[in-house]
Amino acid sequence: MQLRDYQTKLISDIRQAIREGHTRIICQLHVGGGKTIIAGEISRSAREKMKRSLFIAPRRQLVYQAADKFNGLGVSTGIIMAGEKQFSQPLVQVGSIDTLTSRIKSGKMRHPDAAIVMADEAHAVFSPERLEFLKNYPLVLGITATPALANGKGMGAFYTKIVEGPTMAEMVEAGYLVPMRYYGADAPDLEAVKLNADGDYQESALAEASDKPELIGSVYRNYKRLASDRTTLIFAVNCKHGRHIYEEFLSHGEAVEYIDAHTSTEERDAMEKRVADGVTRVIVNIGVMAFGTDWPRISCVIVARVTRNIAAWIQMVGRGSRLHPAKQDCIVIYHGHNFEELGPIDAPIEWSLDDKTTIRERKERAQQDAKEPKEIKCKKCGYIFKSSRVCPSCHTEMIAPGEAIPFHEAELVELKVSAADKIQWYAEFLGYCKQNGKGTNFALAMFKAKFNSWPYKKNSIQPATPSQEVLNYITSRRIAYARGRGA
């Protein structure tokens, strides 16, 4: 089994945590990082030592996906789940947490033997009943991209250690994931929508505010404007809202399909094949694809439901981050008013076991401490960016010369440019070369001078009309070069 460097390091870090005495460990790795592969390698290693392992998941589809992945890696498994024939205990088992807790509670089975239990989507396996099940095992490894509860607080009531993988920004830079580009779109009026106990919007009221003909039409119009050539995944509030979005796309002749918790495994598998083959272009869902979905062709994610849950936001948007030959980035269209508090999913997050503070609180504190720039939404195209006076997408001037770019605590500092913005810079450098009869080496030299690195997938980036910001930068470099020669 060939592991990536960071996967090998994560396993090594987990083993070090065990040596330090931790028996309740969280493995955090970004969406698309290969968490199931890590679990498969840990199971293979345990099997070689004749030790039993158990991998549990909160949904049937995740159980099947894990079993298929394990078997594909040469790790044969048994399955414990309603509707599946149970074998005498093999060394490696994959099971549904609901089936396990139900059968044990009814007395139909005992706890399966295991030296280690791996809890997939650990943030979703944190109810009292499920934790009571996990307490029966000597070693528990929770696996998740977002180690936080729905209220944003940490999972320290059970786990004692977090082992973190590389950030999304690092994985994009290394070529393991694609960069994201963000656009803000029409948002519902939330004046009458209250918050639930977890601090997010109450679903029924949010659905009522979101399920308006003008907003449904906006979802379609923005898709056509920005992503009509992309395989697109749409997140709706509830089934009724999702059906209305589906019907809107269908009325325009789009190759669209709808999926929710009632969609059978067979239907879902058939839909996945149609998406992979390019037959289905748009998928509308109600959150069932927010985790455990590996459909790499998705290159646009439309979040048509406002949320304050940063972990849910990362899970949803992350569905478009996987590599695929047909894409070089992913577009995100958010129909919400609060992008600034959610932020791009490659922004650093301070994961913590602390169950007193939330992700949002820690993030806001970090932004203020670092005096980061605020996000700016282009009034013309909706593109979301920061650290610039001019929209990198349509080149509309958003901040007049002489006006300060808005920052947290209003202090100007230099910030690392996002991967998507780097692609835009290189595209505009290429556009300058095309306009002025220069070779691509000039664009590469400008990019290297600007970012001290080389552009990601440079051969797939197409020229774009250079913005005034790019033209000003090229002029400044040429002046600096001329002065250097004169000296």
Side-chain angles (χ1 to χ4, degrees):
M1 184 186 304
Q2 186 65 41
L3 299 179
R4 293 173 177 173
D5 290 346
Y6 67 83
Q7 293 170 335
T8 300
K9 183 179 185 304
L10 261 175
I11 293 174
S12 176
D13 290 346
I14 291 168
R15 288 171 175 160
Q16 178 59 33
I18 295 170
R19 286 192 290 269
E20 293 170 359
H22 294 282
T23 59
R24 306 285 186 261
I25 304 166
I26 292 177
C27 171
Q28 184 277 328
L29 181 59
H30 201 277
V31 176
K35 293 181 287 294
T36 310
I37 291 175
I38 289 174
E41 172 61 18
I42 292 173
S43 293
R44 184 198 63 77
S45 179
R47 185 186 63 181
E48 285 186 350
K49 300 171 185 174
M50 297 304 293
K51 293 183 178 180
R52 298 184 186 278
S53 62
L54 173 63
F55 181 95
I56 60 172
R59 289 186 177 176
R60 294 182 65 86
Q61 189 64 31
L62 297 179
V63 173
Y64 286 128
Q65 286 179 359
D68 287 344
K69 181 73 73 174
F70 280 32
N71 289 325
L73 296 171
V75 182
S76 58
T77 67
I79 295 179
I80 305 174
M81 187 163 59
E84 292 293 327
K85 182 179 178 181
Q86 189 171 345
F87 298 92
S88 58
Q89 284 198 15
L91 289 175
V92 180
Q93 296 204 90
V94 176
S96 159
I97 183 62
D98 289 333
T99 297
L100 284 161
T101 53
S102 175
R103 288 179 180 176
I104 292 169
K105 185 177 181 179
S106 67
K108 293 181 179 179
M109 70 177 293
R110 296 179 300 176
H111 287 83
D113 291 336
I116 178 172
V117 173
M118 291 167 282
D120 192 27
E121 306 297 344
H123 59 282
V125 187
F126 209 80
S127 67
E129 184 179 37
R130 292 172 175 182
L131 292 181
E132 196 61 38
F133 169 83
L134 293 175
K135 287 177 183 177
N136 287 274
Y137 293 93
L139 180 58
V140 177
L141 180 65
I143 304 173
T144 177
T146 52
L149 304 179
N151 59 13
K153 294 182 179 180
M155 301 162 69
F158 182 79
Y159 294 96
T160 64
K161 177 77 172 179
I162 296 180
V163 175
E164 297 186 38
T167 65
M168 182 187 176
E170 290 169 338
M171 295 181 72
V172 169
E173 200 71 37
Y176 293 127
L177 298 175
V178 300
M180 320 296 285
R181 296 164 53 202
Y182 298 88
Y183 290 85
D186 298 330
D189 181 358
L190 301 180
E191 186 175 351
V193 181
K194 297 181 180 180
L195 302 181
N196 60 28
D198 290 327
D200 207 352
Y201 297 103
Q202 293 181 352
E203 185 175 288
S204 58
L206 178 62
E208 184 176 348
S210 304
D211 198 11
K212 308 290 186 184
E214 61 272 20
L215 291 176
I216 300 292
S218 177
V219 172
Y220 175 74
R221 288 192 300 274
N222 281 293
Y223 159 78
K224 289 298 290 184
R225 179 171 66 92
L226 296 168
S228 61
D229 60 341
R230 294 172 176 254
T231 300
T232 299
L233 176 63
I234 302 176
F235 287 93
V237 181
N238 62 9
C239 294
K240 182 180 177 183
H241 182 223
R243 284 288 183 186
H244 287 161
I245 294 175
Y246 164 78
E247 290 164 2
E248 175 73 15
F249 276 72
L250 195 63
S251 71
H252 292 280
E254 301 292 343
V256 60
E257 298 198 49
Y258 170 88
I259 182 173
D260 62 23
H262 303 291
T263 305
S264 69
T265 299
E266 293 74 21
E267 290 178 285
R268 181 180 173 124
D269 289 345
M271 188 185 304
E272 181 177 2
K273 185 178 187 308
R274 289 191 290 271
V275 169
D277 293 342
V279 176
T280 295
R281 300 299 296 274
V282 181
I283 314 98
V284 182
N285 90 110
I286 321 300
V288 297
M289 297 183 70
F291 52 86
T293 301
D294 185 3
W295 296 13
R297 197 180 185 102
I298 294 167
S299 60
C300 173
V301 177
I302 300 178
V303 182
R305 54 158 303 137
V306 190
T307 184
R308 299 181 76 239
N309 185 330
I310 296 176
W313 167 254
I314 292 171
Q315 293 282 349
M316 288 188 289
V317 175
R319 296 308 127 192
S321 64
R322 286 178 169 84
L323 300 175
H324 189 275
K327 73 185 193 187
Q328 67 180 31
D329 61 15
C330 178
I331 284 177
V332 180
I333 305 173
Y334 181 42
H335 288 263
H337 63 290
N338 61 329
F339 179 84
E340 184 177 330
E341 73 177 43
L342 297 169
I345 65 171
D346 64 350
I349 290 181
E350 180 189 345
W351 298 115
S352 173
L353 293 172
D354 182 7
D355 56 5
K356 300 295 188 294
T357 61
T358 67
I359 299 173
R360 185 182 303 109
E361 290 167 346
R362 294 194 298 273
K363 181 179 178 181
E364 288 173 352
R365 184 182 66 238
Q367 285 178 325
Q368 291 168 359
D369 290 345
K371 301 177 178 62
E372 287 189 1
K374 293 184 177 181
E375 283 77 11
I376 302 167
K377 178 181 173 182
C378 178
K379 60 188 176 183
K380 183 176 180 181
C381 73
Y383 187 64
I384 297 172
F385 62 99
K386 54 187 176 182
S387 304
S388 176
R389 301 180 183 280
V390 177
C391 172
S393 180
C394 71
H395 315 303
T396 298
E397 185 178 77
M398 291 295 296
I399 301 173
E403 291 186 13
I405 298 175
F407 278 71
H408 294 277
E409 298 195 1
E411 185 171 327
L412 294 175
V413 295
E414 184 177 356
L415 183 77
K416 180 180 178 182
V417 181
S418 72
D421 286 339
K422 285 184 179 181
I423 287 178
Q424 186 65 33
W425 271 84
Y426 185 64
E428 293 182 20
F429 284 144
L430 289 175
Y432 177 87
C433 292
K434 186 176 180 180
Q435 290 178 355
N436 294 274
K438 294 183 175 292
T440 57
N441 283 342
F442 180 88
L444 287 170
M446 288 292 106
F447 188 94
K448 180 69 172 176
K450 174 71 175 174
F451 301 111
N452 195 31
S453 64
W454 300 114
Y456 169 68
K457 282 191 174 181
K458 63 180 182 294
N459 294 333
S460 64
I461 300 175
Q462 300 301 312
T465 303
S467 64
Q468 191 60 50
E469 185 179 16
V470 168
L471 294 174
N472 290 345
Y473 179 77
I474 292 173
T475 299
S476 70
R477 293 303 303 171
R478 298 177 85 174
I479 292 173
Y481 178 74
R483 286 176 177 170
R485 291 189 67 184

